[in-house]
Amino acid sequence: MIDIRRPIMLCKASAGTGKTYTLAAYFIGLLLSGEDYRSILAITFTNKATAEMSERILTYLYALSLGEESDFLNRARMFMIRDQHLSDEQLRERAGKCFRTMLADFDNLHVMTIDSFLQTLLSGLAGVLRM
């Protein structure tokens, strides 16, 4: 269960300032805390940004599973909501498991544009209103 004191992260900054890096670290911090990737929603503005975010999440998870990207792991640790005490090796194993699971179930990785999110929301609402 996500800590309701930190349910949303808003990252607003100019191009080239590390937004995607920070959002990927936040997403992975939640994964390393044991959150299910299917319960995490990342919203961006462009299709290019959604593709980049999805790619970065998988790339960083893979690198972490190999014991690489120690600076990124430290950044992701800052966003963990539990299990911060786990060793780097334990987090490496968790990252590998997350990577394999997400790769096999990529369609359920929820990184989307705000437009596609609103369309999904409205489609769901339309279904409820027809009842």
Side-chain angles (χ1 to χ4, degrees):
M1 183 61 69
I2 292 180
D3 183 348
I4 61 171
R5 294 170 291 183
R6 294 177 50 194
I8 295 175
M9 177 186 170
L10 177 63
C11 188
K12 181 179 175 183
S14 301
T17 57
K19 290 183 301 294
T20 304
Y21 180 86
T22 300
L23 290 171
Y26 187 79
F27 197 102
I28 291 173
L30 292 174
L31 294 176
L32 296 178
S33 296
E35 293 299 322
D36 184 342
Y37 66 94
R38 293 169 293 191
S39 69
I40 303 170
L41 172 63
I43 299 176
T44 65
F45 286 100
T46 66
N47 289 325
K48 181 180 175 186
T50 61
E52 183 181 355
M53 175 70 69
S54 299
E55 180 183 333
R56 288 240 197 137
I57 289 168
L58 289 171
T59 299
Y60 283 127
L61 279 174
Y62 181 70
L64 291 174
S65 74
L66 297 176
E68 301 170 1
E69 295 289 348
S70 59
D71 289 341
F72 184 83
L73 178 58
N74 291 333
R75 181 72 168 166
R77 247 187 220 280
M78 292 173 40
F79 297 115
M80 290 178 67
I81 56 176
R82 70 176 88 56
D83 296 341
Q84 294 94 337
H85 65 281
L86 293 178
S87 69
D88 287 359
E89 177 63 24
Q90 289 170 308
L91 293 178
R92 183 187 70 75
E93 290 173 15
R94 215 175 250 193
K97 183 179 178 186
C98 288
F99 173 76
R100 289 186 299 278
T101 303
M102 289 172 62
L103 197 57
D105 189 32
F106 189 73
D107 289 342
N108 286 311
L109 175 60
H110 302 298
V111 179
M112 58 182 63
T113 64
I114 194 162
D115 293 341
S116 61
F117 170 68
L118 291 175
Q119 182 178 7
T120 301
L121 191 64
L122 291 174
S123 295
L125 183 59
V128 170
L129 292 176
R130 280 186 263 183
M131 296 175 107

